[in-house]
Amino acid sequence: MAIERTFSIIKPDAVAKNVIGQIVARFEQAGLRVVASRMIQMSREQAGQFYAVHKERPFYNDLCAYMCSGPVVVQVLEGENAIAKNRDIMGATDPKKAAKGTIRADFAESIEANSVHGSDAPDTAKLEIAFFFSGSDLCSRK
Ligand code: ADP
Ligand code: MG
């Protein structure tokens, strides 16, 4: 299995709950390593651009406003099969449907305020990492 990098956001609801450490611990326990991390307050423009793929969806404006409602942690996770592994640890988009023991089942408030973002494929991982980080921000953990 290949070593991959994926992009992750700890969203405003989880930062407000003060569970950054608990969430990062789950990634680490699953064998993923943080290779870049930063706390930011997103602008409306940044959120709009980041979620542009959902522009036509009815929840787009609310989602963008929510993502700017407080600080978030943007990070890059590295490890074997990191993209799918991160999605497994996160759980389903709707916390009511998320499997027991997943981040969203344990911490999320709603389908919108669902604690974490994770890239869904290699091409989106690459784009999303580059959206927030430059090459020199990424550290080698080997
Ligand atoms: P995921 O984050 O699981 O990849 P999507 O890419 O489908 O989910 O959606 C992006 C984000 O938009 C979700 O994480 C959630 O914050 C929000 N969202 C998705 N579906 C809805 C919905 N039906 N109502 C409100 N917000 C939603
Ligand atoms: Mg998605």
Side-chain angles (χ1 to χ4, degrees), residues 67-82:
M67 290 301 288
C68 312
S69 67
V72 300
V73 175
V74 290
Q75 56 187 350
V76 179
L77 305 173
E78 179 185 83
E80 295 241 328
N81 204 20

Side-chain angles (χ1 to χ4, degrees), residues 55-73:
K55 208 158 51 195
E56 307 306 327
R57 310 282 285 276
F59 58 79
Y60 174 71
N61 279 320
D62 282 351
L63 172 63
C64 293
Y66 163 65
M67 290 301 288
C68 312
S69 67
V72 300
V73 175

Side-chain angles (χ1 to χ4, degrees), residues 11 51 54 57 59 63 87 93 104 111-112 114 117:
K11 294 185 179 182
Y51 277 120
H54 296 305
R57 310 282 285 276
F59 58 79
L63 172 63
R87 299 284 305 191
T93 308
R104 283 166 164 170
I111 192 167
E112 176 182 82
N114 60 1
H117 166 85

Side-chain angles (χ1 to χ4, degrees), residues 3-4 6 9 61 66 76 87 90 96 108 119 128 140:
I3 298 285
E4 293 175 334
T6 191
I9 304 177
N61 279 320
Y66 163 65
V76 179
R87 299 284 305 191
M90 289 164 57
K96 290 196 223 93
S119 307
E128 291 175 359
S140 174

Side-chain angles (χ1 to χ4, degrees), residues 25-123:
R26 291 181 182 215
F27 297 135
E28 292 180 338
Q29 279 154 13
L32 298 176
R33 297 175 293 275
V34 177
V35 296
S37 178
R38 186 163 75 235
M39 183 176 281
I40 61 167
Q41 172 77 51
M42 267 194 218
S43 67
R44 173 64 179 75
E45 291 66 36
Q46 242 178 336
Q49 218 185 317
F50 181 75
Y51 277 120
V53 65
H54 296 305
K55 208 158 51 195
E56 307 306 327
R57 310 282 285 276
F59 58 79
Y60 174 71
N61 279 320
D62 282 351
L63 172 63
C64 293
Y66 163 65
M67 290 301 288
C68 312
S69 67
V72 300
V73 175
V74 290
Q75 56 187 350
V76 179
L77 305 173
E78 179 185 83
E80 295 241 328
N81 204 20
I83 297 165
K85 193 178 271 183
N86 179 35
R87 299 284 305 191
D88 282 350
I89 299 164
M90 289 164 57
T93 308
D94 182 352
K96 290 196 223 93
K97 295 179 185 154
K100 224 172 149 227
T102 59
I103 291 169
R104 283 166 164 170
D106 290 345
F107 299 114
E109 297 288 323
S110 65
I111 192 167
E112 176 182 82
N114 60 1
S115 299
V116 278
H117 166 85
S119 307
D120 57 12
D123 56 338

